[in-house]
Each structure stands twice: as C-alpha cells, then as structure tokens.
Amino acid sequence: MASDPDYGMFINGETVPSASGEVFQLTDPSTGEPFTTVAKGSPDDIDRAVRTAREAFESGVWSEKSPKERAAIMRAIAAKFLERAEQFALAEVQSSGATLRRFLNVDVVLVMDLFLRTAEMLEEFPHKEVLDAIPIPGPSHDFVIREPIGVCGMITPWNFPLILASWKVAPALAMGNTMVIKPASYTPLSTLLLAEVCTEAGVPPGVINVVPGPGGVTGESLVTHPEVDKVAFTGSTVIGRRIMQLAAGTIKKVTLELGGKSPNIILDDANLDVAVPGSLFAFLMHNGQVCESGTRLLVPRGLHDEILERMCAIAKNLKVGSPLDPTSDMGPIVSKSQLETILSYVDAGKEEGARLVIGGNRLHPEGYEGGYYMEPTIFTDVKNDMRIAQEEIFGPVLAVIPYEGLDDALRIANDTIYGLAGGVWTQDPEKALYVARKIKAGTVWVNDWHTLRNDGPFGGYKQSGIGRELGHFGLEEYSEVKRIHTSMVPEREKRALYDRVLTLR
Ligand code: NDP
C-alpha cells in the first residue's frame, strides 16, 4: 500500500517517508479496528539509516563527547520524555494494548528513571583502568580504556515496546554508540517518539534512527548489514537463533534477550496471603505477555487445593476490558494472531490431559466486542513435559504443577530450555537462598515478582539469551575494551626479548 503515512521513519534527525513510499496499518487491539499508518521500511531504508549512523559515529559528534556531556543529554531526555508522557501513553496503549493504568504507574516511571540512572552510572563508570607496570624490560605504562562499539542494530518486540527499546537506547547512547532500531511491526510508535525526544534533548542527528518494517526482510537486512557492529535483540528464542546465525556472517557482537517459562515455587511454609496474589501478578501482568512471567506454578501437593481455591476466587473478579478504563485489570492481547496462538495452547492443554480450572475463553466486553480479550486461565495437574509447561505461550495462561518435596520442585523448575527468571515464596530465609541459588536463571525473586531495577542486571541463562541489559552490566555490553601499552624504555640494548626471539641486528 502506498500513501502518506501518519508516522514516517526517523533518519538523520528527521521524519521521512520510506524509499518505496509503502506504508502499513496498525490495528488497535482493544477494538480490532485499524487506527493509523506507518512508513514501511525496506532493506534500502535500512541501508540509508545504517550509513547515516556510520557517518554520525565516525564524525565523533557523539562518540567523542565526554561522559559528562553525554550524561547531561541523558538527563534532558528524561525531562523531555516526562513532558510528553501522555503522548507516549496513548501511542503505547493504542498499539500494544497496555492498560493506561500500568503504563502510567510502571512504564513511565521505569523509563524516566532509566535515563536518569544511566546518566549517573555513566559518570561513575570506570572508563579507564590503569594496570600495574610489567617489570621487564623496564618501566612501562599500561591502561585499559572503554570505547563505543560503533553502529548498533536493535530489534525490539511488541510486548513492552518503549521499555525494551529504552533498555537498548539508553546504554548505547551512554557509551557513545550510534544506532538503527527496527521496532516490532505491531508497535513502532513509541520508539519513533523516543527518537524524536532524544533529538529534541540534544542527541545529534544521525545518532538514533528508527526504521519500521517486517522482521523477516527489514530486520534481517539490519542484522546482516556489514556496517553494523553489534546486534541487540529482544524477542522469541526461535528468531534469536536466526539472528545469531545471521550475525555470524560478519562476527557481530550479539546480545539476545529471549523467551522464558519461569518456574514459580510456593514452599509449604509460604505466607499464602502474599504468595497467592503475588503468583497471580506473576503470570497476569500485561496478560502474561512478559518474557519473565511466572507461568509454571509449582505447589506442594498438600497445599494444592487451598492455593487453587484462593487463586480462582481472586482471578474470577479481575476486570478484563478497555485498556483506557482505569478500572480494567487486564486489557486486550496484542493481536488477533497472538490471541489465536494462546487459544490453541488452551486446546493443547486440554488434549494433553491437563485440567482447566478457570478461564480458557475469548471475551467480548461490551462496546469492545471486536477486541482481542481473554479470560485469566489456569490449568492444573500439568505434567512438566506437556507443551503448556514447556513452550512460551505469552498469554494469561498458568500451568500449575504439584510437587512432592523440595528436590522434586527444583528438578521440575530447571527442566526447561529457558532460564530467564524464577521465584520462590517462603518465610524461611535459608530455604529462600538455597532455592534462589539452585534455580538456573538470570533473575530470581524471593516473595515477589516482576520487580526490576535499572541498576541491576537482566538477562537469561540457557536458551533465554546472551549478555545482560541494565546496570553497569548493560553499559559494558555497549563498549569495546582496549588495552594500551606504552614502553618507557628508550635503550635498544634493554630490548632483550627481541634478541631472544629474532635476530634484528
Ligand atoms: P519475534 O521474535 O518474531 O519478533 C520480535 C522482533 O523481531 C520483531 O521486531 C520482529 O519484527 C523481528 N523479527 C521477526 N523475524 C525476524 C527475522 N527473521 N530477522 C530479524 N528480525 C525479525 O516475536 P513475535 O513478535 O512474533 O512473537 C512471537 C513469540 O515470541 C511470542 O508469542 C512470545 O512467545 C515470544 N516473544 C518473546 C518476547 C520476549 O521479550 N522474550 C517478546 C515478544 C515475543 P516483526 O514485528 O515485523 O515481525
């Protein structure tokens, strides 16, 4: 389709149409109706954006600014973002189905804090490290510096479009890189706005570029582009594997934040007044469309009935409805196809012999009949080898698995290809620490879920990813390390090593 889009691409500090003039439509998942159009970027547009990012990088307009100067601009981004928070909220709610309630209470705070914290961490970061002198053949000076990697290609998903783009943009900017972002096709708007805000705050043109377009074509051309030095991807493990293969062609640096099937273990001494609502929060926030959702609930057999009774009593009162309604607990699923995927997993669970205790159906709230809503859904008597326990559903579907003792719980917890997160509910600190150490995952929550912090690492063990985002760990992922050695020995005769290895006289 070719016409003037409501939203263009963002290249070299400007909003521009795609080279082909093609556009694509976005659908509001709360109504099922199209609501806006966006320029559809092609490999030609990616090439233009990458070349722009390369020129900006080599010019030094950003990479050669001091950390202090870059930190000041990061703080300005946080302020500009807050001024336009309402615009971000509407874009995000209308395209991703995030509830306005969650976006204002969680996303806005996290994103603003991220840019502020990153500025702080950037100023404290050890950009230079002096090493002890090597005694032979005489005095020398050795130090290690951090340098930006260059042009970063970023590919982001639709579940938390703004947060997950910011997790890449903030550290990449902080460390002096330039970038091209290919946002998810359902949700490119907030990333385009973020690029605008960064530019308004003082990030020079060409440093941050956004090219929306289909992953299989536009995304792949970014990953294979020879002028891209690093690829940062968040999305499914299947596509993560593909990205790694494609990036291998030019040995790009790669960070991957992929899927999860996180085990949530309630121990028999847990305070159920907190563990039960906490476990609902763990799998229902944003309809379970969160990579670190607690989607496998491991319960002691003796407490199984009580836990399920309590969970269902709360779940049946949750309000599923318009994401703009502040009383809605859950909004729509992101798309019709994602809703269909989730419903097909409900069928798979029934076919495999799991017992559906609540939910499992599409909903049609009054006034929003065409939207993609779904009931909170709980299966029990799940065996860990069933598809609903092994595969990432990305919907409001919980697999409850009874266990027979702590060793059994830990065996089940770690019996997965994923290792993004896990959690344990107990009142015994020793047991809590024991379980936290035994779970093979990048984040473990004790008596909590979903709490993230911008100065702590996030990422996966096993097939949940490579590398870490956030904190100084995240900053490190966006820099190269260079050692500089300077000999302070002017005398030729003291260069004994030369003569031991080669005859150079
Ligand atoms: P994908 O992994 O397919 O997509 C994530 C991003 O990658 C999107 O920007 C997408 O573009 C892009 N992409 C897709 N194919 C390629 C490719 N071959 N090369 C380069 N980029 C590509 O996730 P989906 O959006 O399709 O969701 C599918 C499943 O992935 C979900 O059900 C869920 O299980 C999981 N998922 C996990 C997330 C996480 O945070 N771990 C986040 C989102 C999804 P486009 O949007 O144009 O397809």
Side-chain angles (χ1 to χ4, degrees):
M1 183 164 70
S3 65
D4 269 352
D6 296 331
Y7 290 82
M9 310 181 304
F10 192 84
I11 299 181
N12 207 18
E14 288 179 345
T15 297
V16 292
S18 59
S20 66
E22 277 195 83
V23 306
F24 63 102
Q25 265 181 345
L26 298 194
T27 298
D28 180 342
S30 74
T31 60
E33 300 293 330
F35 72 97
T36 196
T37 54
V38 182
K40 184 174 169 185
S42 66
D44 286 344
D45 298 302
I46 287 285
D47 184 54
R48 178 174 160 204
V50 171
R51 285 177 195 286
T52 304
R54 169 59 59 195
E55 265 175 43
F57 182 73
E58 300 302 341
S59 75
V61 279
W62 185 248
S63 56
E64 287 173 20
K65 277 199 188 333
S66 70
K68 220 175 170 46
E69 287 171 312
R70 290 202 295 265
I73 293 176
M74 307 284 290
R75 292 190 173 99
I77 295 173
K80 291 262 174 218
F81 164 68
L82 204 56
E83 278 169 24
R84 290 174 67 178
E86 206 173 306
Q87 200 186 357
F88 276 91
L90 290 178
E92 197 88 331
V93 168
Q94 213 171 7
S95 55
S96 78
T99 58
L100 187 59
R101 183 173 159 187
R102 187 212 83 210
F103 189 83
L104 295 178
N105 283 302
V106 178
D107 302 38
V108 170
V109 181
L110 279 182
V111 170
M112 190 189 61
D113 179 70
L114 173 65
F115 281 95
L116 294 176
R117 280 288 165 116
T118 307
E120 213 173 279
M121 289 186 294
L122 171 62
E123 285 170 337
E124 288 162 7
F125 193 82
H127 295 276
K128 184 176 169 188
E129 192 186 328
V130 178
L131 303 178
D132 289 343
I134 305 171
I136 299 169
S140 67
H141 184 51
D142 246 280
F143 62 105
V144 176
I145 56 168
R146 291 270 176 180
E147 292 186 335
I149 297 175
V151 177
C152 302
M154 299 161 173
I155 299 184
T156 51
W158 43 258
N159 54 344
F160 287 82
L162 176 64
I163 289 184
L164 296 176
S166 303
W167 282 14
K168 294 169 176 46
V169 169
L173 281 179
M175 300 309 276
N177 300 276
T178 63
M179 64 213 73
V180 177
I181 312 164
K182 205 297 292 170
S185 295
Y186 292 128
T187 55
L189 304 187
S190 55
T191 310
L192 288 163
L193 291 174
L194 180 65
E196 258 178 54
V197 160
C198 291
T199 309
E200 279 169 25
V203 173
V207 172
I208 174 165
N209 306 278
V210 183
V211 180
V217 180
T218 312
E220 293 211 0
S221 68
L222 179 60
V223 179
T224 51
H225 199 295
E227 291 289 337
V228 170
D229 302 297
K230 175 197 163 96
V231 176
F233 171 79
T234 301
S236 61
T237 294
V238 172
I239 300 297
R241 263 187 220 114
R242 171 92 183 132
I243 302 268
M244 225 173 143
Q245 283 164 351
L246 293 173
T250 44
I251 314 287
K252 296 187 197 316
K253 311 272 174 291
V254 177
T255 43
L256 303 173
E257 201 271 272
L258 309 176
K261 195 73 196 179
S262 302
N264 177 12
I265 310 174
I266 298 185
L267 297 190
D268 49 16
D269 71 329
N271 172 4
L272 294 188
D273 291 342
V274 181
V276 165
S279 299
L280 285 161
F281 180 57
F283 90 98
L284 287 178
M285 186 174 87
H286 196 33
N287 274 309
Q289 300 168 119
V290 191
C291 46
E292 41 75 333
S293 289
T295 45
R296 288 185 298 145
L297 180 65
L298 279 50
V299 299
R301 200 168 283 284
L303 289 176
H304 172 270
D305 293 356
E306 183 184 353
I307 290 171
L308 272 191
E309 227 168 82
R310 287 199 192 199
M311 286 188 99
C312 292
I314 301 175
K316 69 173 197 272
N317 289 326
L318 290 171
K319 181 172 171 187
V320 182
S322 162
L324 289 166
D325 178 348
T327 66
S328 291
D329 296 294
M330 293 157 64
I333 304 298
V334 69
S335 66
K336 186 157 181 275
S337 89
Q338 185 64 18
L339 175 65
E340 284 165 358
T341 301
I342 300 166
L343 292 171
S344 76
Y345 274 108
V346 172
D347 291 342
K350 289 181 196 162
E351 278 159 26
E352 285 183 299
R355 183 159 59 91
L356 182 64
V357 284
I358 192 169
N361 301 302
R362 179 175 180 174
L363 291 171
H364 299 277
E366 204 184 328
Y368 292 86
E369 287 79 2
Y372 313 130
Y373 299 89
M374 164 129 195
E375 293 176 311
T377 300
I378 301 178
F379 277 102
T380 191
D381 296 337
V382 175
K383 305 263 184 309
N384 200 49
D385 59 359
M386 291 178 180
R387 284 185 59 211
I388 57 166
Q390 286 295 322
E391 296 175 23
E392 188 175 43
I393 301 174
F394 241 54
V397 181
L398 181 67
V400 178
I401 308 174
Y403 68 83
E404 304 295 343
L406 191 51
D407 288 347
D408 191 34
L410 287 169
R411 182 190 55 76
I412 298 168
N414 287 327
D415 180 13
T416 166
I417 61 164
Y418 297 113
L420 194 57
V424 57
W425 303 82
T426 173
Q427 300 187 66
D428 178 336
E430 269 181 47
K431 272 194 205 156
L433 191 59
Y434 177 77
V435 174
R437 296 185 84 110
K438 287 285 176 190
I439 293 177
K440 294 189 174 120
T443 301
V444 177
W445 286 287
V446 176
N447 297 329
D448 204 359
W449 209 280
H450 290 311
T451 313
L452 296 176
R453 50 184 296 163
N454 287 321
D455 58 356
F458 184 80
Y461 280 32
K462 302 199 268 183
Q463 295 188 37
S464 286
I466 296 179
R468 292 292 179 272
E469 298 195 287
L470 303 180
H472 69 83
F473 309 91
L475 293 179
E476 282 159 21
E477 303 278 1
Y478 284 92
S479 67
E480 286 280 19
V481 179
K482 181 182 280 176
R483 175 186 157 231
I484 300 180
H485 170 88
T486 309
S487 170
M488 312 286 209
V489 181
E491 301 90 347
R492 168 65 183 89
E493 59 277 14
K494 288 194 182 161
R495 305 298 175 111
L497 188 62
Y498 294 2
D499 304 314
R500 280 191 205 127
V501 179
L502 296 171
T503 308
L504 298 174
R505 292 187 194 268

